Amino acid sequence: MRGWWEHVDFLRGVEETAYRELTAPDAWLPCSDTRPALRALLRARGLRIGLVSDFAWDLRVHLAHAGLEDLIDGFVISYEQGREKADPQLFLKACAGLGADPRATLMVGDNPVRDGAATACGLRAYILPAEQRTGDRGLAEVLRLVA
């Protein structure tokens, strides 16, 4: 008797195809308010910006594709660190890389558990509203918070 798994040959290679699709430079696009918010934070307020990510690949390819790589001063990406958010060490590493005091740093994220864990090492956290697929993400509020 043959098992059901012997009939799923069509699934072979799906993981590789999915990974290629996810990691393609144009696979991820920023929300419409990302560029203006980053520029305002960098240019008008002179703040340094770091990115802490749980991506399992190098998201810098997406930022470069969108023309945003020059707006980020430092990157801490979980696959490069062998850790995932909510590990406080990721947030502390980002602060150290920026020369920032964690107690004077705002973490902006979208996951209350993973990103909110930044508070365990002294950062303040602002959690964005639930993800929208189009339009603004709510980053204008961040500009008001750091004013």
Side-chain angles (χ1 to χ4, degrees), residues 12-91:
R12 293 193 200 290
V14 166
E15 296 91 358
E16 294 85 10
T17 300
Y19 186 80
R20 265 194 320 277
E21 291 294 318
L22 284 172
T23 60
D26 61 348
W28 297 81
L29 299 173
C31 293
S32 59
D33 56 347
T34 302
R35 184 182 321 279
L38 290 174
R39 282 194 175 140
L41 291 168
L42 283 170
R43 304 292 190 276
R45 293 173 175 86
L47 300 175
R48 295 180 50 83
I49 298 173
L51 191 142
V52 178
S53 173
D54 267 341
F55 274 51
W57 62 87
D58 192 347
L59 75 135
R60 288 172 279 228
V61 298
H62 308 302
L63 294 167
H65 179 77
L68 298 174
E69 74 279 11
D70 292 337
L71 299 175
I72 309 292
D73 298 303
F75 296 88
V76 176
I77 304 172
S78 59
Y79 89 93
E80 295 176 340
Q81 305 300 316
R83 303 169 182 265
E84 294 180 357
K85 291 190 250 178
D87 187 327
Q89 293 304 311
L90 294 172
F91 303 110

